[in-house]
Amino acid sequence: MKNKYVSYNGSLSVKDSNLVNQYGETMILKGISSHGIQWYSHLINKEKIERLKLEFGINAFRIAMYTEEKGYIYNNNLKEKVKEIIDLCILLDLYVIIDWHILKDGNPLLYLDESMLFFDEISSLYKNIPNVIYEICNEPNGDVTWKKDIKPYAEKVIPVIRKNLSKSIIIFVTKHYCQGIDTVIEDLLGFKDILYSLHFYSGTHGKELRDKLIFAKESGVPVIVSEFGVSDAQTNSKVDLEEAKIWIELLKKYNISLFNWSLSDKREASSIFVFNSQNLSVSGEFVKAQYNNY
């Protein structure tokens, strides 16, 4: 369907806690996330993204730009790879998420200055491009709180983006690896067009986290699942497809966008390709089938 893509839907926004297109119609993003581009950028090319578009029916792609682990903080040249992938997604009529992928650096304030400079440059460069979505933090973890660390980070970075473009989707996070979606209901950010991210891995996260999602969504929180996997949270165990099906049915019910982890051939259960192969893994085959019925 041609109307899944950017050329029809245009600039996205949030209305009544739902993602909508330029016509006010409900919009769902189905995407795949890269693994860290410092390790797996060789897989992110026109051939692979077109394959995901045709076979999986994706209309969006997420660029996981790690900050640490040999990532952007240590190799600023990764920014050029980010631009290359953005341009490729624009060519293919896809939405693209730029993910400032903190993980081991669990406090987003650690690299606040670097984040502000990065998003200022990128949002200025792509300010007239409706394809680009800004995920300004990945997974806060450790001794961080919403009030002390996470919300103050957003209140510094979001105005940098808004200075360059008044309308764009910005994805933001909650505590404990994006699993505190229920804790921000009374203290949401004071900005428009914000989606709050929840992450799950079906081998680890079950009913307790789904109940938090339901509570948040029914309380009016705009939610996106910007990362999910069908393995455990360490991504290295066997897949849990039955639990994944329960999750995906819930996301369907609430028209929630979702991004699978990951475009990789790493020897781990969550990779969509078999190690060192062009063949889809068990995870890849499952996500392909689910996406084509989503």
Side-chain angles (χ1 to χ4, degrees), residues 19-37:
L19 185 65
V20 298
N21 67 10
Q22 64 180 332
Y23 305 112
E25 300 164 341
T26 299
M27 180 68 188
I28 297 174
L29 300 175
K30 294 188 301 183
I32 301 291
S33 176
S34 76
H35 204 304
I37 59 172

Side-chain angles (χ1 to χ4, degrees), residues 272-289:
I272 66 170
F273 289 108
V274 175
F275 175 68
N276 207 22
S277 168
Q278 297 293 311
N279 298 323
L280 294 178
S281 65
V282 172
S283 174
E285 291 285 5
F286 173 82
V287 172
K288 174 183 173 181

Side-chain angles (χ1 to χ4, degrees), residues 50-184:
E50 277 190 315
R51 180 178 179 184
L52 294 175
K53 181 178 178 180
L54 293 172
E55 292 186 18
F56 286 64
I58 70 165
N59 59 1
F61 187 77
R62 178 181 186 243
I63 307 168
M65 189 189 74
Y66 279 65
T67 45
E68 288 201 346
E69 300 180 66
K70 299 182 181 179
Y72 177 73
I73 300 303
Y74 307 98
N75 179 11
N76 286 180
N77 288 333
L78 286 175
K79 180 169 55 182
E80 300 310 311
K81 184 62 182 181
V82 169
K83 294 175 184 176
E84 178 185 321
I85 300 169
I86 293 171
D87 293 342
L88 175 59
C89 291
I90 292 170
L91 177 67
L92 294 174
D93 203 17
L94 300 175
Y95 291 96
V96 56
I97 292 176
I98 307 164
D99 162 34
W100 183 260
H101 199 90
I102 77 162
L103 190 57
K104 288 192 174 180
D105 48 326
N107 191 328
L109 292 173
L110 181 60
Y111 297 121
L112 171 63
D113 291 343
E114 292 86 349
S115 175
M116 292 173 69
L117 287 170
F118 173 82
F119 283 109
D120 187 25
E121 178 179 342
I122 295 295
S123 61
S124 178
L125 184 62
Y126 293 99
K127 62 184 178 182
N128 297 316
I129 307 297
N131 308 62
V132 183
I133 295 169
Y134 300 87
E135 185 172 11
I136 62 173
C137 184
N138 176 51
E139 293 184 349
N141 62 87
D143 185 25
V144 297
T145 69
W146 175 256
K147 286 188 179 293
K148 177 172 67 74
D149 309 289
I150 303 171
K151 187 178 182 184
Y153 169 83
E155 290 174 334
K156 291 287 188 179
V157 178
I158 291 174
V160 169
I161 297 172
R162 288 287 185 252
K163 169 176 64 74
N164 293 322
L165 67 169
S166 60
K167 187 175 182 181
S168 64
I169 293 296
I170 295 175
I171 298 172
F172 198 52
V173 291
T174 58
K175 65 179 184 178
H176 191 58
Y177 302 95
C178 288
Q179 279 136 49
I181 195 74
D182 58 320
T183 65
V184 301

